[in-house]
Coordinates of all heavy atoms in Angstrom, one line a residue:
M25 N 65.7 -116.1 -17.0 CA 66.2 -114.8 -17.3 C 67.4 -114.4 -16.4 O 67.4 -114.3 -15.2 CB 65.0 -113.8 -17.0 CG 65.3 -112.4 -17.2 SD 63.8 -111.4 -16.9 CE 64.5 -109.8 -17.0
T26 N 68.5 -114.3 -17.1 CA 69.8 -114.0 -16.4 C 70.2 -112.6 -16.6 O 71.0 -112.0 -15.8 CB 70.9 -114.9 -16.8 OG1 71.1 -114.8 -18.2 CG2 70.6 -116.4 -16.4
K27 N 69.7 -112.0 -17.7 CA 70.1 -110.6 -18.0 C 68.8 -109.7 -17.9 O 67.8 -110.2 -18.4 CB 70.8 -110.4 -19.3 CG 72.1 -111.0 -19.4 CD 72.8 -110.7 -20.8 CE 74.2 -111.2 -20.8 NZ 74.8 -111.0 -22.1
P28 N 68.9 -108.5 -17.4 CA 67.8 -107.6 -17.4 C 67.5 -107.2 -18.8 O 68.3 -107.2 -19.7 CB 68.3 -106.4 -16.6 CG 69.8 -106.4 -16.7 CD 70.2 -107.8 -16.9
V29 N 66.2 -106.8 -19.0 CA 65.8 -106.3 -20.3 C 66.1 -104.8 -20.4 O 65.9 -104.1 -19.4 CB 64.2 -106.4 -20.4 CG1 63.7 -105.7 -21.7 CG2 63.8 -107.9 -20.4
I30 N 66.8 -104.4 -21.5 CA 67.2 -103.0 -21.7 C 65.9 -102.3 -22.1 O 65.4 -102.5 -23.2 CB 68.3 -102.9 -22.7 CG1 69.5 -103.6 -22.3 CG2 68.6 -101.4 -23.0 CD1 70.6 -103.8 -23.3
T31 N 65.4 -101.4 -21.3 CA 64.2 -100.7 -21.6 C 64.5 -99.4 -22.5 O 63.7 -99.1 -23.3 CB 63.4 -100.3 -20.4 OG1 64.2 -99.5 -19.5 CG2 62.9 -101.5 -19.6
Q32 N 65.6 -98.8 -22.3 CA 66.1 -97.8 -23.2 C 67.5 -97.5 -22.9 O 68.0 -97.7 -21.8 CB 65.2 -96.5 -23.1 CG 65.3 -95.8 -21.7 CD 64.5 -94.5 -21.7 OE1 63.5 -94.4 -22.3 NE2 64.9 -93.6 -20.9
K33 N 68.3 -97.1 -23.9 CA 69.7 -96.8 -23.8 C 70.0 -95.4 -23.4 O 70.8 -94.7 -24.0 CB 70.4 -97.2 -25.1 CG 70.4 -98.8 -25.2 CD 71.2 -99.1 -26.5 CE 71.2 -100.7 -26.6 NZ 72.0 -101.1 -27.8
E34 N 69.2 -94.9 -22.5 CA 69.5 -93.6 -21.9 C 68.7 -93.6 -20.6 O 67.8 -94.4 -20.4 CB 69.0 -92.5 -22.8 CG 67.5 -92.6 -23.1 CD 67.1 -91.5 -24.1 OE1 67.7 -90.5 -24.2 OE2 66.0 -91.7 -24.8
P35 N 69.1 -92.7 -19.7 CA 68.5 -92.6 -18.4 C 67.1 -92.1 -18.5 O 66.7 -91.4 -19.4 CB 69.3 -91.8 -17.5 CG 70.1 -90.9 -18.5 CD 70.2 -91.7 -19.7
Y36 N 66.3 -92.3 -17.4 CA 65.0 -91.7 -17.3 C 65.1 -90.5 -16.3 O 65.6 -90.7 -15.2 CB 64.0 -92.7 -16.6 CG 63.6 -93.9 -17.4 CD1 64.3 -95.1 -17.4 CD2 62.5 -93.8 -18.3 CE1 63.9 -96.2 -18.1 CE2 62.1 -94.9 -19.0 CZ 62.8 -96.1 -18.9 OH 62.4 -97.2 -19.7
A37 N 64.8 -89.3 -16.8 CA 64.8 -88.2 -15.9 C 63.5 -88.1 -15.2 O 62.4 -88.0 -15.8 CB 65.0 -86.9 -16.8
V38 N 63.5 -88.2 -13.9 CA 62.3 -88.2 -13.1 C 62.5 -87.2 -11.9 O 63.5 -87.1 -11.3 CB 62.0 -89.6 -12.5 CG1 61.6 -90.6 -13.6 CG2 63.2 -90.2 -11.7
Q39 N 61.3 -86.6 -11.6 CA 61.3 -85.7 -10.4 C 61.0 -86.5 -9.2 O 60.0 -87.2 -9.1 CB 60.2 -84.6 -10.7 CG 60.2 -83.6 -9.6 CD 61.5 -82.7 -9.6 OE1 62.0 -82.4 -10.6 NE2 61.9 -82.4 -8.4
L40 N 61.9 -86.5 -8.2 CA 61.7 -87.2 -7.0 C 61.4 -86.3 -5.8 O 62.0 -85.2 -5.7 CB 63.0 -88.1 -6.7 CG 63.3 -89.1 -7.8 CD1 64.6 -89.8 -7.4 CD2 62.2 -90.1 -8.1
E41 N 60.7 -86.8 -4.8 CA 60.4 -86.1 -3.6 C 61.4 -86.6 -2.5 O 61.8 -87.7 -2.5 CB 59.0 -86.3 -3.2 CG 57.9 -85.9 -4.1 CD 56.5 -86.3 -3.8 OE1 56.3 -86.5 -2.6 OE2 55.8 -86.6 -4.7
A42 N 61.6 -85.7 -1.6 CA 62.6 -86.0 -0.5 C 61.9 -87.1 0.4 O 60.7 -87.1 0.7 CB 62.8 -84.8 0.3
D43 N 62.8 -88.0 0.9 CA 62.4 -89.0 2.0 C 61.2 -89.8 1.6 O 60.5 -90.3 2.5 CB 62.1 -88.2 3.3 CG 63.4 -87.4 3.7 OD1 64.5 -87.9 3.5 OD2 63.1 -86.3 4.3
K44 N 61.0 -90.1 0.3 CA 59.9 -91.0 -0.1 C 60.6 -92.3 -0.6 O 61.7 -92.2 -1.2 CB 59.1 -90.3 -1.2 CG 57.9 -91.1 -1.7 CD 57.1 -90.3 -2.7 CE 56.2 -91.3 -3.4 NZ 55.4 -90.6 -4.5
N45 N 60.0 -93.4 -0.3 CA 60.6 -94.7 -0.8 C 60.2 -94.9 -2.3 O 59.0 -94.8 -2.6 CB 60.0 -95.9 0.0 CG 60.8 -96.1 1.3 OD1 61.9 -95.6 1.4 ND2 60.2 -96.8 2.2
Y46 N 61.2 -95.1 -3.1 CA 61.0 -95.5 -4.5 C 61.6 -96.8 -4.7 O 62.5 -97.2 -4.1 CB 61.7 -94.4 -5.4 CG 61.1 -93.1 -5.3 CD1 61.7 -92.1 -4.5 CD2 60.0 -92.8 -6.1 CE1 61.2 -90.8 -4.5 CE2 59.4 -91.5 -6.0 CZ 60.0 -90.5 -5.3 OH 59.5 -89.3 -5.2
A47 N 61.1 -97.5 -5.7 CA 61.6 -98.8 -6.1 C 61.9 -98.8 -7.6 O 61.0 -98.8 -8.4 CB 60.5 -99.9 -5.8
W48 N 63.2 -98.8 -7.8 CA 63.7 -98.8 -9.2 C 63.6 -100.2 -9.8 O 64.1 -101.2 -9.2 CB 65.1 -98.3 -9.3 CG 65.8 -98.4 -10.6 CD1 65.6 -97.6 -11.7 CD2 66.8 -99.3 -10.9 NE1 66.4 -98.0 -12.7 CE2 67.2 -99.0 -12.3 CE3 67.6 -100.3 -10.3 CZ2 68.2 -99.7 -13.0 CZ3 68.5 -100.9 -10.9 CH2 68.8 -100.7 -12.2
C49 N 63.0 -100.4 -11.0 CA 63.0 -101.7 -11.7 C 64.4 -102.1 -12.1 O 65.0 -101.4 -13.0 CB 62.0 -101.6 -12.8 SG 62.1 -103.1 -13.9
A50 N 64.9 -103.2 -11.7 CA 66.2 -103.7 -12.1 C 66.0 -104.8 -13.2 O 67.0 -105.1 -13.9 CB 66.9 -104.3 -10.8
C51 N 64.9 -105.4 -13.3 CA 64.7 -106.5 -14.3 C 64.3 -106.0 -15.7 O 64.6 -106.7 -16.7 CB 63.6 -107.4 -13.8 SG 61.9 -106.8 -13.9
G52 N 63.7 -104.8 -15.8 CA 63.4 -104.2 -17.1 C 62.0 -104.7 -17.6 O 61.6 -104.3 -18.6
L53 N 61.3 -105.5 -16.8 CA 60.0 -106.0 -17.2 C 58.8 -105.1 -16.8 O 57.7 -105.2 -17.3 CB 59.7 -107.4 -16.7 CG 60.7 -108.4 -17.1 CD1 60.4 -109.7 -16.4 CD2 60.6 -108.6 -18.6
S54 N 59.0 -104.1 -15.9 CA 57.9 -103.3 -15.4 C 57.3 -102.5 -16.6 O 58.0 -102.0 -17.4 CB 58.4 -102.3 -14.4 OG 57.5 -101.4 -14.1
K55 N 56.0 -102.3 -16.5 CA 55.3 -101.5 -17.5 C 55.3 -100.0 -17.0 O 54.7 -99.2 -17.6 CB 53.9 -102.0 -17.7 CG 53.8 -103.4 -18.2 CD 53.7 -103.4 -19.7 CE 53.3 -104.8 -20.3 NZ 54.5 -105.7 -20.2
N56 N 55.9 -99.8 -15.8 CA 55.8 -98.5 -15.2 C 57.3 -97.9 -15.1 O 57.7 -97.5 -14.0 CB 55.1 -98.5 -13.8 CG 55.0 -97.2 -13.2 OD1 54.8 -96.2 -13.9 ND2 55.0 -97.1 -11.9
Q57 N 58.1 -98.1 -16.1 CA 59.5 -97.6 -16.1 C 59.6 -96.2 -15.6 O 58.8 -95.3 -16.1 CB 60.1 -97.9 -17.4 CG 60.3 -99.3 -17.7 CD 61.2 -100.1 -16.8 OE1 62.1 -99.5 -16.2 NE2 60.9 -101.4 -16.6
P58 N 60.7 -95.9 -14.9 CA 61.7 -96.8 -14.4 C 61.4 -97.4 -13.1 O 62.3 -97.9 -12.4 CB 62.9 -95.8 -14.3 CG 62.3 -94.5 -13.8 CD 60.9 -94.5 -14.5
F59 N 60.2 -97.4 -12.6 CA 59.8 -98.0 -11.3 C 59.3 -99.4 -11.4 O 58.7 -99.8 -12.4 CB 58.8 -97.1 -10.7 CG 59.4 -95.7 -10.5 CD1 58.8 -94.6 -11.2 CD2 60.4 -95.4 -9.6 CE1 59.4 -93.3 -11.1 CE2 60.9 -94.1 -9.5 CZ 60.4 -93.1 -10.2
C60 N 59.5 -100.1 -10.3 CA 59.0 -101.5 -10.2 C 57.5 -101.6 -10.2 O 56.8 -100.8 -9.5 CB 59.6 -102.1 -8.9 SG 59.0 -103.8 -8.5
D61 N 56.9 -102.6 -10.9 CA 55.4 -102.8 -10.8 C 55.2 -104.2 -10.4 O 54.0 -104.7 -10.5 CB 54.7 -102.5 -12.1 CG 55.1 -103.5 -13.2 OD1 55.9 -104.4 -13.0 OD2 54.4 -103.3 -14.3
G62 N 56.2 -104.9 -9.9 CA 56.0 -106.3 -9.4 C 56.3 -107.3 -10.5 O 56.2 -108.6 -10.2
A63 N 56.5 -107.0 -11.7 CA 56.7 -107.9 -12.8 C 57.9 -108.8 -12.6 O 58.1 -109.8 -13.2 CB 56.8 -107.2 -14.1
H64 N 58.9 -108.5 -11.7 CA 60.1 -109.3 -11.5 C 59.8 -110.6 -10.8 O 60.7 -111.4 -10.6 CB 61.1 -108.5 -10.6 CG 60.5 -108.1 -9.3 ND1 59.8 -107.0 -9.0 CD2 60.6 -108.9 -8.1 CE1 59.5 -107.0 -7.7 NE2 59.9 -108.1 -7.2
K65 N 58.6 -110.8 -10.3 CA 58.3 -111.9 -9.4 C 58.7 -113.3 -10.0 O 59.1 -114.2 -9.2 CB 56.8 -112.0 -9.1 CG 56.4 -110.9 -8.1 CD 55.0 -111.3 -7.5 CE 54.6 -110.3 -6.4 NZ 54.2 -109.0 -7.0
E66 N 58.7 -113.4 -11.3 CA 59.0 -114.7 -11.9 C 60.5 -114.8 -12.2 O 61.0 -115.7 -12.9 CB 58.3 -114.9 -13.2 CG 56.8 -114.8 -13.1 CD 56.2 -115.8 -12.1 OE1 56.7 -117.0 -12.2 OE2 55.3 -115.5 -11.3
T67 N 61.3 -113.8 -11.8 CA 62.7 -113.7 -12.1 C 63.5 -113.7 -10.8 O 62.9 -113.7 -9.7 CB 63.1 -112.5 -12.9 OG1 63.1 -111.3 -12.0 CG2 62.1 -112.2 -14.0
D68 N 64.9 -113.7 -10.9 CA 65.7 -113.6 -9.7 C 66.0 -112.1 -9.4 O 66.8 -111.8 -8.5 CB 67.0 -114.4 -9.9 CG 66.7 -115.9 -9.9 OD1 65.7 -116.3 -9.3 OD2 67.5 -116.6 -10.6
F69 N 65.5 -111.2 -10.2 CA 65.8 -109.8 -9.9 C 64.9 -109.2 -8.9 O 63.8 -109.7 -8.6 CB 65.5 -109.0 -11.2 CG 66.6 -109.3 -12.3 CD1 66.4 -110.3 -13.2 CD2 67.7 -108.5 -12.3 CE1 67.3 -110.5 -14.2 CE2 68.7 -108.8 -13.3 CZ 68.5 -109.8 -14.2
K70 N 65.5 -108.2 -8.2 CA 64.7 -107.5 -7.1 C 64.9 -106.0 -7.4 O 65.9 -105.6 -7.9 CB 65.3 -107.8 -5.7 CG 65.3 -109.3 -5.3 CD 64.2 -109.4 -4.3 CE 64.2 -110.8 -3.6 NZ 64.3 -111.9 -4.5
P71 N 63.8 -105.2 -7.1 CA 64.0 -103.8 -7.3 C 65.0 -103.2 -6.3 O 65.3 -103.8 -5.3 CB 62.5 -103.3 -7.0 CG 61.9 -104.3 -6.1 CD 62.6 -105.6 -6.5
V72 N 65.5 -102.1 -6.6 CA 66.3 -101.3 -5.7 C 65.5 -100.3 -5.0 O 65.0 -99.3 -5.7 CB 67.5 -100.6 -6.4 CG1 68.3 -99.8 -5.5 CG2 68.4 -101.7 -7.1
I73 N 65.3 -100.4 -3.7 CA 64.6 -99.4 -2.9 C 65.5 -98.3 -2.5 O 66.6 -98.5 -2.0 CB 63.9 -100.0 -1.7 CG1 63.3 -101.4 -2.0 CG2 63.0 -99.1 -0.9 CD1 62.1 -101.3 -2.9
F74 N 65.1 -97.1 -2.7 CA 66.0 -95.9 -2.4 C 65.1 -94.7 -2.1 O 63.9 -94.6 -2.3 CB 66.9 -95.6 -3.6 CG 66.2 -95.1 -4.8 CD1 66.3 -93.7 -5.0 CD2 65.5 -95.9 -5.6 CE1 65.7 -93.1 -6.1 CE2 64.8 -95.3 -6.8 CZ 64.9 -93.9 -7.0
Q75 N 65.8 -93.7 -1.5 CA 65.2 -92.4 -1.2 C 66.3 -91.4 -1.6 O 67.5 -91.7 -1.7 CB 65.0 -92.3 0.3 CG 64.0 -93.2 0.9 CD 63.8 -92.9 2.4 OE1 64.7 -92.3 3.1 NE2 62.7 -93.3 2.9
V76 N 65.8 -90.1 -1.8 CA 66.7 -89.0 -1.9 C 66.5 -88.1 -0.8 O 65.4 -88.0 -0.2 CB 66.5 -88.3 -3.3 CG1 67.0 -89.2 -4.4 CG2 65.1 -87.9 -3.5
E77 N 67.5 -87.3 -0.4 CA 67.5 -86.4 0.8 C 66.7 -85.1 0.5 O 66.2 -84.5 1.4 CB 68.8 -86.2 1.3 CG 69.5 -87.4 2.0 CD 70.8 -87.1 2.5 OE1 71.3 -86.0 2.4 OE2 71.4 -88.1 3.0
E78 N 66.8 -84.7 -0.8 CA 66.1 -83.5 -1.1 C 65.4 -83.7 -2.5 O 65.9 -84.5 -3.3 CB 67.0 -82.3 -1.2 CG 68.3 -82.5 -1.9 CD 69.2 -81.3 -1.7 OE1 69.4 -80.9 -0.5 OE2 69.7 -80.8 -2.7
A79 N 64.3 -83.0 -2.7 CA 63.6 -83.1 -3.9 C 64.5 -82.7 -5.1 O 65.2 -81.7 -5.0 CB 62.3 -82.3 -3.9
K80 N 64.5 -83.5 -6.2 CA 65.4 -83.2 -7.3 C 65.0 -84.0 -8.5 O 64.2 -85.0 -8.4 CB 66.8 -83.5 -6.9 CG 67.1 -84.9 -6.7 CD 68.6 -85.2 -6.5 CE 68.9 -86.6 -6.2 NZ 70.3 -86.9 -6.1
T81 N 65.5 -83.6 -9.6 CA 65.4 -84.4 -10.8 C 66.5 -85.4 -10.8 O 67.7 -85.0 -10.6 CB 65.5 -83.5 -12.1 OG1 64.5 -82.6 -12.1 CG2 65.4 -84.4 -13.3
A82 N 66.2 -86.7 -10.9 CA 67.3 -87.7 -10.9 C 67.3 -88.4 -12.2 O 66.3 -88.5 -13.0 CB 67.0 -88.7 -9.8
Y83 N 68.4 -89.0 -12.6 CA 68.6 -89.7 -13.8 C 68.7 -91.2 -13.5 O 69.8 -91.7 -13.2 CB 69.8 -89.1 -14.6 CG 69.4 -87.7 -15.0 CD1 69.8 -86.7 -14.1 CD2 68.8 -87.4 -16.2 CE1 69.4 -85.4 -14.4 CE2 68.4 -86.1 -16.5 CZ 68.7 -85.1 -15.6 OH 68.4 -83.8 -15.9
L84 N 67.6 -91.9 -13.6 CA 67.6 -93.3 -13.2 C 67.9 -94.2 -14.5 O 67.5 -93.9 -15.6 CB 66.2 -93.7 -12.7 CG 65.7 -92.9 -11.5 CD1 64.4 -93.6 -11.0 CD2 66.7 -92.8 -10.4
C85 N 68.7 -95.2 -14.2 CA 69.2 -96.1 -15.3 C 68.0 -96.7 -16.1 O 67.1 -97.3 -15.6 CB 70.1 -97.2 -14.7 SG 70.6 -98.4 -15.8
G86 N 68.2 -96.6 -17.4 CA 67.2 -97.3 -18.3 C 67.7 -98.5 -19.0 O 66.9 -99.4 -19.4
C87 N 69.0 -98.7 -19.0 CA 69.6 -99.9 -19.7 C 69.7 -101.0 -18.8 O 69.9 -102.2 -19.2 CB 70.9 -99.6 -20.3 SG 72.3 -99.4 -19.2
K88 N 69.6 -100.7 -17.4 CA 69.6 -101.7 -16.4 C 71.0 -102.4 -16.2 O 71.1 -103.4 -15.5 CB 68.5 -102.8 -16.6 CG 67.2 -102.3 -16.9 CD 66.6 -101.4 -15.8 CE 65.2 -100.9 -16.2 NZ 64.7 -100.0 -15.2
M89 N 72.0 -101.7 -16.7 CA 73.3 -102.2 -16.7 C 74.2 -101.4 -15.8 O 75.4 -101.7 -15.6 CB 74.0 -102.3 -18.1 CG 73.2 -103.1 -19.0 SD 73.4 -104.9 -18.8 CE 72.5 -105.5 -20.1
T90 N 73.7 -100.4 -15.1 CA 74.5 -99.5 -14.3 C 75.2 -100.2 -13.2 O 74.6 -101.2 -12.7 CB 73.6 -98.4 -13.7 OG1 74.4 -97.5 -12.9 CG2 72.4 -98.9 -12.9
G91 N 76.3 -99.7 -12.8 CA 77.0 -100.3 -11.7 C 76.7 -99.5 -10.4 O 77.3 -99.7 -9.4
N92 N 75.8 -98.5 -10.6 CA 75.5 -97.6 -9.5 C 74.0 -97.5 -9.4 O 73.5 -96.4 -9.2 CB 76.1 -96.2 -9.8 CG 76.0 -95.3 -8.6 OD1 76.0 -95.6 -7.5 ND2 75.8 -94.0 -9.0
G93 N 73.3 -98.6 -9.4 CA 71.8 -98.6 -9.4 C 71.3 -97.9 -8.1 O 71.9 -98.1 -7.0
P94 N 70.3 -97.1 -8.3 CA 69.4 -96.9 -9.5 C 69.9 -95.8 -10.4 O 69.2 -95.6 -11.4 CB 68.1 -96.6 -8.8 CG 68.4 -95.7 -7.7 CD 69.7 -96.4 -7.1
M95 N 70.9 -95.1 -10.1 CA 71.3 -94.0 -10.9 C 72.1 -94.4 -12.1 O 72.9 -95.4 -12.1 CB 72.2 -93.1 -10.1 CG 71.5 -92.5 -8.8 SD 70.0 -91.7 -9.2 CE 69.3 -91.5 -7.5
C96 N 71.9 -93.7 -13.2 CA 72.7 -93.9 -14.4 C 74.1 -93.6 -14.2 O 74.5 -92.6 -13.5 CB 72.1 -92.9 -15.5 SG 73.1 -92.8 -17.0
D97 N 75.0 -94.5 -14.7 CA 76.5 -94.2 -14.5 C 77.1 -94.1 -15.9 O 78.4 -94.2 -16.0 CB 77.1 -95.3 -13.7 CG 77.2 -96.6 -14.3 OD1 76.7 -96.8 -15.4 OD2 77.8 -97.6 -13.7
G98 N 76.3 -94.0 -17.0 CA 76.9 -93.8 -18.3 C 77.1 -95.1 -19.0 O 77.6 -95.1 -20.2
T99 N 76.9 -96.3 -18.4 CA 77.2 -97.6 -19.0 C 76.4 -97.7 -20.3 O 77.0 -98.4 -21.3 CB 76.7 -98.7 -18.1 OG1 77.6 -98.6 -16.9 CG2 77.0 -100.1 -18.7
H100 N 75.3 -97.1 -20.5 CA 74.5 -97.3 -21.7 C 75.3 -96.8 -23.0 O 75.0 -97.2 -24.1 CB 73.2 -96.5 -21.6 CG 73.4 -95.0 -21.4 ND1 73.5 -94.4 -20.2 CD2 73.5 -94.0 -22.4 CE1 73.7 -93.1 -20.4 NE2 73.7 -92.8 -21.7
K101 N 76.3 -96.0 -22.8 CA 77.1 -95.5 -23.9 C 77.9 -96.7 -24.6 O 78.4 -96.6 -25.7 CB 78.0 -94.4 -23.5 CG 77.3 -93.2 -23.1 CD 78.2 -92.0 -22.8 CE 77.5 -90.9 -22.1 NZ 78.1 -90.4 -20.9
N102 N 78.1 -97.7 -23.8 CA 79.0 -98.8 -24.2 C 78.2 -100.1 -24.6 O 78.8 -101.1 -24.8 CB 80.0 -99.2 -23.2 CG 80.8 -97.9 -22.8 OD1 81.2 -97.2 -23.7 ND2 81.1 -97.8 -21.5
I103 N 76.9 -100.1 -24.7 CA 76.1 -101.2 -25.1 C 75.4 -101.1 -26.4 O 75.3 -99.9 -26.9 CB 75.1 -101.6 -24.0 CG1 74.2 -100.5 -23.6 CG2 75.9 -102.1 -22.7 CD1 73.1 -100.9 -22.6
Ligands
FES207 S1 59.3 -105.1 -12.1 FE1 61.5 -105.0 -12.5 S2 62.4 -105.1 -10.5 FE2 60.3 -105.1 -10.1

């Protein structure tokens, strides 16, 4: 598997808590999108671990092609 699976061509809007560790799924195989569930183990992909400084709604990449993981950067509009 060299390319991630596109789970959806739009971001996931998720409510995040401040200073909590999150793991964004980069491979697209997780059944718990947009978060990692360990399904990447058989691939070369790794989740992106991140935090936010304040509680907010974030738009996490669903196409897995973002250049600004885990956040959506609009790349899905071109695929
Ligand atoms: S399941 Fe996709 S990165 Fe972990």
